[in-house]
Amino acid sequence: MGWLPKVIEDALPDPDQVFSYDTVKLVRILDRRLGCIYWGVQSLVVIYMVVIVFGFNKAYQDTEKSSGWILTKVIKPQFDDIANISWDVFDTVTNPGESGAVFIPTRILVTQEQTQDNEWCQDPSVPCKVDTDCKANSQKAGREKCENGYCMKRQWCPAEDRDGVTTEGRTRTHYLSVDKVELWFKTYVHFHKFALDVTTADERGQIRYPASGANTYRLMDLLRMTNYVPEQIIENGAVMTLNVMLYCNLDTENCEMKVETASVDHASGFNHVHEQIYYDNGIRTRDVYRMYGIRIVSFATGFGGKTKFSQIILQLSSAIALLGTAELIADFWLTSILPERKHYTEQKIALAEVSTD
């Protein structure tokens, strides 16, 4: 650089070193150790791509995850513990107001023949000793009167008395068996990317778990999957989720169905009230059914895969790139591990100066 002072030129690094260019020098090294490492790594890459990527993961397919809906049909009646009477499915299995949910009762409190004709009666939830214990926020809702240890309240009479503590109580408790209850799931999933519908709603018969492709499960099996003990939830009920997973190979139009369950709440449980109102001798009357039981919120999820040429090219490109790691590992072993590494390095790396004349 003749245009710079000599002192500065001596202090600067050699531009040929800074802007040097590295090119590949092919050296055939007659060493079986390096050959085993090189071909061994390449073999592992090929096995990984063929067995794991293409075989198990099916990475040559374009995939889509989609959500759908599920219909649950409860099969077989339940029997109570009082007279071993069968409770019809239409009387016990009620929808508590959520799409995709089903409710199976375990304990039912039945209070019959409630009327508002005699609108004041004992309230089991408000015990008292004297009339002054029965202070009401409104005269329309209650009055200061204690009768047989409970405050009088304006309500449907007789009031629900689950423990039978009042003299007017007509509430009976029924415990229902759940060991024979079965659930038949009918699912539907739409794959938007592939414009394809997958459904089990057209299946005419039941396939009971644990058979392959099962669509019908015993409630006891589902509780076991959720780690619920039936004796722990029979009093207050529980809430659980159920997800029907559809793993579909759209190339062969074959789907594998799997059911997963999870616990939501069993400490506070779940209950809802169902009532039947009618007129008896012109008097408006109702029967109240407070149902404690298992609420199952159901979902359907589909995973679809279909072969796509671009995915094949992508995976083959990845395989070619991974094959290059064999050379990197062999070079590292050559220059850093082998006892003859200094000699091999001298043969592998050579400096060549280009004349500027």
Side-chain angles (χ1 to χ4, degrees):
M1 303 182 203
W3 51 277
L4 287 176
K6 188 175 185 305
V7 177
I8 298 178
E9 287 186 358
D10 294 339
L12 292 176
D14 186 359
D16 291 332
Q17 292 288 339
V18 175
F19 300 101
S20 62
Y21 169 69
D22 295 334
T23 185
V24 178
K25 177 183 179 181
L26 295 179
V27 180
R28 178 180 291 272
I29 299 177
L30 302 179
D31 192 317
R32 69 184 65 181
R33 295 168 297 179
L34 294 175
C36 291
I37 293 173
Y38 177 78
W39 292 110
V41 173
Q42 285 211 335
S43 299
L44 291 176
V45 170
V46 172
I47 293 173
Y48 166 74
M49 294 300 300
V50 174
V51 177
I52 305 299
V53 176
F54 285 93
F56 288 103
N57 295 338
K58 294 182 173 61
Y60 56 87
Q61 291 184 332
D62 190 12
T63 59
E64 179 185 2
K65 177 182 177 181
S66 182
S67 299
W69 50 259
I70 181 170
L71 297 177
T72 306
K73 183 178 181 180
V74 181
I75 304 170
K76 295 186 178 180
Q78 297 175 259
F79 294 85
D80 69 11
D81 64 324
I82 296 179
N84 198 30
I85 297 176
S86 171
W87 285 65
D88 192 271
V89 173
F90 292 98
D91 292 331
T92 58
V93 181
T94 57
N95 189 341
E98 183 175 0
S99 177
V102 66
F103 174 77
I104 298 96
T106 57
R107 181 168 69 108
I108 301 180
L109 305 180
V110 182
T111 307
Q112 295 180 310
E113 300 178 354
Q114 285 186 325
T115 68
Q116 292 179 315
D117 187 44
N118 182 18
E119 58 187 15
W120 297 95
C121 57
Q122 302 168 29
D123 187 354
S125 63
V126 187
C128 62
K129 293 183 179 179
V130 294
D131 291 346
T132 54
D133 293 337
C134 303
K135 294 182 179 180
N137 295 328
S138 171
Q139 291 296 325
K140 294 182 179 181
R143 57 188 178 183
E144 293 186 8
K145 184 177 181 181
C146 182
E147 185 174 309
N148 297 322
Y150 295 93
C151 294
M152 301 296 288
K153 186 177 179 181
R154 185 193 297 270
Q155 58 189 330
W156 285 87
C157 297
E160 181 183 284
D161 184 7
R162 66 190 68 184
D163 298 320
V165 294
T166 66
T167 58
E168 303 171 342
R170 297 182 190 172
T171 302
R172 298 185 66 184
T173 302
H174 300 263
Y175 289 93
L176 304 187
S177 62
V178 296
D179 56 322
K180 295 183 179 179
V181 176
E182 295 180 346
L183 287 82
W184 184 359
F185 301 112
K186 299 183 178 183
T187 60
Y188 172 87
V189 173
H190 176 73
F191 293 104
H192 301 272
K193 185 185 296 185
F194 307 118
L196 187 64
D197 297 328
V198 175
T199 180
T200 62
D202 55 352
E203 294 180 347
R204 299 298 181 184
Q206 303 172 39
I207 305 175
R208 288 182 169 83
Y209 176 82
S212 177
N215 57 19
T216 304
Y217 289 74
R218 293 176 61 244
L219 179 60
M220 296 297 289
D221 289 332
L222 297 176
L223 294 178
R224 176 180 53 80
M225 296 177 189
T226 320
N227 295 325
Y228 278 152
V229 178
E231 291 75 14
Q232 295 178 348
I233 62 176
I234 194 171
E235 286 290 333
N236 297 321
V239 181
M240 58 183 285
T241 60
L242 182 145
N243 196 355
V244 175
M245 318 286 286
L246 293 172
Y247 298 93
C248 299
N249 187 340
L250 302 181
D251 294 329
T252 59
E253 297 184 355
N254 181 43
C255 291
E256 178 185 353
M257 181 174 170
K258 182 181 178 182
V259 170
E260 294 182 354
T261 60
S263 171
V264 176
D265 180 23
H266 68 276
S268 58
F270 179 80
N271 74 88
H272 76 103
V273 177
H274 172 66
E275 61 183 23
Q276 295 179 352
I277 297 179
Y278 55 93
Y279 286 86
D280 184 10
N281 295 324
I283 299 176
R284 191 166 182 258
T285 309
R286 77 172 185 177
D287 297 338
V288 176
Y289 300 82
R290 182 176 296 276
M291 300 183 176
Y292 294 83
I294 304 165
R295 183 180 189 177
I296 303 176
V297 184
S298 304
F299 307 92
T301 306
F303 300 88
K306 193 172 185 179
T307 301
K308 192 173 183 180
F309 181 72
S310 60
Q311 289 295 115
I312 297 176
I313 297 300
L314 176 62
Q315 298 306 324
L316 290 178
S317 301
S318 301
I320 294 172
L322 285 175
L323 289 174
T325 59
E327 183 177 347
L328 293 177
I329 295 175
D331 282 350
F332 172 78
W333 198 271
L334 180 147
T335 57
S336 303
I337 306 298
L338 290 180
E340 305 91 340
R341 57 184 177 275
K342 184 176 180 181
H343 171 69
Y344 286 155
T345 301
E346 291 176 353
Q347 298 297 320
K348 177 178 172 60
I349 303 174
L351 297 179
E353 295 185 3
V354 179
S355 175
T356 56
D357 294 339

